[in-house]
Amino acid sequence: MATAELRQNDGTIAITFSNGATGAFPFIWLKDNDPAGFHPQTQERVTDLTAIDLDVKASAVEADDSTLTISWDGEDTKTVYQLDWLAAHVPGQYAADPAKTGFKHWRTDLGADGIPRANAKEVLESDAALKEWLKQTQIFGYSIVEGLDDNTEAGMDVARRIGFLRETNFGVTFEVQSKPNPNNLAYTPIALPLHTDLTNQELPPGFQFLHCLANEAVGGGSLFCDGYAIAEDLQKEDPEAFELLSTVSVPFRFHDGEVDIRARKKVINLDEDGTIIEICFNAHLADIFDLEPTLMTRYYRAYRKYMAMTRSKDYVVTLKLKGGEMVVFDNRRVLHGRDAFDPNTGFRHLHGCYVDRGEFESRLRVLSR
Ligand code: AKG
């Protein structure tokens, strides 16, 4: 049986739930979350917060096995809350989120053999397989789907199992192959050092899908590293470099005959708790740095250090994708690159698309219902 105590001095109701857990619920929060204030069909909040007095006061409270009933000062109506719902939303504690799987930061200890793998047919046909694959991809930041049919729709169909595709100036899907008149270094045969894509975008795409249709040329191996693991190690080894990369933004730009897309980004992005939540690193898209000279020199040292770490054998996992395999990775965490290849020795063709983190996480939540 839960117990509830009215605390007029700090404007809260203190609840001790039947399992011993406790929580303090501010009056204004309780009013804002009155169950009657949510649309019965859409579950969206329809309460108008400005219609509630900021100093609203509860005058009495009563708990039984499953509900908490509040009487409000100066009002005739009472509000009834489910205790289970209150227990799941204790202020100061993040509500459980099935999309937040946690991350395993990896270095070369994981190796190419340690990359999570999934079968395309299973992911297409089974929600359980889809969920497990998404979880592993989220935890490690990358995975390989194998057994794809030999056509450009096959990988995109797997991506659409998650959600809609993120369109960019390169299209809804894109062909990574050596092309005449390329507008992007990916469409040449030259080596691409480790990078995250489209750091010049206001919101760089979340998950990237590269379906290998052919990889017959000499060269063309793939490289990956965990940008979070590198940032974590940098923080320990070189706090000044970490501080600069996580507080100073620099300009990124992509421009061709059609577009001129620019954004300022920090290389290492943290949430309000200091947890690493995003890496933006792309030497090809880095625009002309415009920092004040003293800061510029310090920044270059930090930026170059992160770059050097992305080249270190301590972090880089290499593999050569085979036809029928698709690598999937969190583009805002895992850096990718490739070795140069010789297009005269064979055909190389990857078909790509993106799905943003929001769609990915939403699918994980819906599959966890
Ligand atoms: C990209 O499309 O951003 C690439 O880095 C291409 C990767 C590859 O060709 O393996």
Short mmCIF file of all heavy atoms in Angstrom, two decimals, residues 174 176 186 192 195 197 208 210 222 336-338 348 350, ligand 1:
data_model
loop_
_atom_site.label_atom_id
_atom_site.label_comp_id
_atom_site.label_asym_id
_atom_site.label_seq_id
_atom_site.Cartn_x
_atom_site.Cartn_y
_atom_site.Cartn_z
N PHE A 174 21.56 6.85 -52.87
CA PHE A 174 22.70 7.34 -53.68
C PHE A 174 23.60 6.17 -54.07
O PHE A 174 23.62 5.13 -53.40
CB PHE A 174 23.47 8.41 -52.91
CG PHE A 174 23.84 8.02 -51.50
CD1 PHE A 174 25.04 7.37 -51.24
CD2 PHE A 174 22.97 8.28 -50.46
CE1 PHE A 174 25.36 7.00 -49.94
CE2 PHE A 174 23.29 7.91 -49.15
CZ PHE A 174 24.50 7.26 -48.90
N VAL A 176 27.30 4.86 -54.63
CA VAL A 176 28.72 5.10 -54.39
C VAL A 176 29.49 4.26 -55.41
O VAL A 176 29.59 3.04 -55.29
CB VAL A 176 29.13 4.70 -52.95
CG1 VAL A 176 30.61 4.98 -52.72
CG2 VAL A 176 28.28 5.43 -51.94
N ALA A 186 33.30 10.65 -52.56
CA ALA A 186 32.86 9.25 -52.48
C ALA A 186 32.64 8.67 -53.88
O ALA A 186 32.71 7.45 -54.07
CB ALA A 186 31.58 9.14 -51.66
N LEU A 192 39.27 7.39 -48.81
CA LEU A 192 38.51 8.32 -47.97
C LEU A 192 38.89 8.06 -46.52
O LEU A 192 38.57 6.99 -45.98
CB LEU A 192 37.01 8.11 -48.14
CG LEU A 192 36.43 8.36 -49.53
CD1 LEU A 192 34.95 8.00 -49.55
CD2 LEU A 192 36.63 9.81 -49.96
N HIS A 195 35.58 9.38 -41.51
CA HIS A 195 34.78 10.60 -41.41
C HIS A 195 33.34 10.25 -41.05
O HIS A 195 32.93 9.09 -41.14
CB HIS A 195 34.77 11.33 -42.76
CG HIS A 195 34.13 10.53 -43.87
ND1 HIS A 195 34.78 9.53 -44.55
CD2 HIS A 195 32.89 10.58 -44.42
CE1 HIS A 195 33.98 9.00 -45.46
NE2 HIS A 195 32.82 9.62 -45.40
N ASP A 197 29.43 11.49 -42.30
CA ASP A 197 28.87 12.13 -43.48
C ASP A 197 28.10 13.40 -43.14
O ASP A 197 27.46 13.49 -42.08
CB ASP A 197 27.89 11.19 -44.19
CG ASP A 197 28.60 10.27 -45.18
OD1 ASP A 197 29.85 10.28 -45.23
OD2 ASP A 197 27.90 9.54 -45.89
N GLN A 208 23.40 5.19 -41.44
CA GLN A 208 23.75 5.08 -42.86
C GLN A 208 23.75 3.60 -43.27
O GLN A 208 24.16 2.74 -42.49
CB GLN A 208 25.13 5.68 -43.13
CG GLN A 208 25.56 5.52 -44.57
CD GLN A 208 26.66 6.47 -45.02
OE1 GLN A 208 26.97 6.52 -46.19
NE2 GLN A 208 27.23 7.23 -44.10
N LEU A 210 24.95 1.08 -46.40
CA LEU A 210 25.73 0.94 -47.64
C LEU A 210 25.64 -0.52 -48.07
O LEU A 210 26.30 -1.40 -47.49
CB LEU A 210 27.18 1.37 -47.41
CG LEU A 210 27.43 2.86 -47.21
CD1 LEU A 210 28.88 3.13 -46.80
CD2 LEU A 210 27.07 3.66 -48.47
N SER A 222 36.94 -1.38 -46.53
CA SER A 222 36.23 -0.42 -45.68
C SER A 222 36.94 -0.27 -44.34
O SER A 222 37.52 -1.24 -43.82
CB SER A 222 34.80 -0.91 -45.42
OG SER A 222 34.10 -1.00 -46.64
N HIS A 336 33.43 6.25 -40.83
CA HIS A 336 33.68 5.26 -41.88
C HIS A 336 34.64 5.84 -42.92
O HIS A 336 34.76 7.06 -43.04
CB HIS A 336 32.38 4.81 -42.54
CG HIS A 336 31.67 5.89 -43.30
ND1 HIS A 336 31.07 6.96 -42.69
CD2 HIS A 336 31.49 6.07 -44.63
CE1 HIS A 336 30.54 7.76 -43.60
NE2 HIS A 336 30.79 7.25 -44.80
N GLY A 337 35.30 4.95 -43.63
CA GLY A 337 36.23 5.37 -44.68
C GLY A 337 36.47 4.21 -45.62
O GLY A 337 35.88 3.14 -45.46
N ARG A 338 37.31 4.43 -46.60
CA ARG A 338 37.63 3.31 -47.49
C ARG A 338 39.03 3.51 -48.06
O ARG A 338 39.55 4.64 -48.15
CB ARG A 338 36.62 3.20 -48.63
CG ARG A 338 36.71 4.32 -49.62
CD ARG A 338 36.25 3.97 -51.04
NE ARG A 338 36.56 5.08 -51.90
CZ ARG A 338 35.66 5.88 -52.47
NH1 ARG A 338 34.37 5.66 -52.34
NH2 ARG A 338 36.07 6.88 -53.22
N ARG A 348 33.10 -1.67 -58.66
CA ARG A 348 32.77 -1.48 -57.24
C ARG A 348 31.53 -0.61 -57.17
O ARG A 348 31.50 0.48 -57.76
CB ARG A 348 33.93 -0.81 -56.50
CG ARG A 348 33.70 -0.68 -54.99
CD ARG A 348 34.92 -0.05 -54.33
NE ARG A 348 34.87 -0.14 -52.87
CZ ARG A 348 34.23 0.71 -52.08
NH1 ARG A 348 33.57 1.73 -52.62
NH2 ARG A 348 34.24 0.56 -50.77
N LEU A 350 28.41 0.51 -54.31
CA LEU A 350 27.61 0.47 -53.07
C LEU A 350 26.38 1.34 -53.31
O LEU A 350 26.48 2.39 -53.94
CB LEU A 350 28.39 1.01 -51.88
CG LEU A 350 29.81 0.49 -51.62
CD1 LEU A 350 30.36 1.11 -50.33
CD2 LEU A 350 29.83 -1.02 -51.51
C1 AKG B 1 30.53 7.72 -48.28
O1 AKG B 1 29.64 7.51 -49.10
O2 AKG B 1 30.45 8.64 -47.44
C2 AKG B 1 31.72 6.89 -48.26
O3 AKG B 1 32.53 7.13 -47.41
C3 AKG B 1 31.86 5.77 -49.21
C4 AKG B 1 32.40 4.56 -48.54
C5 AKG B 1 32.90 3.52 -49.52
O4 AKG B 1 33.04 3.79 -50.70
O5 AKG B 1 33.20 2.42 -49.04
#
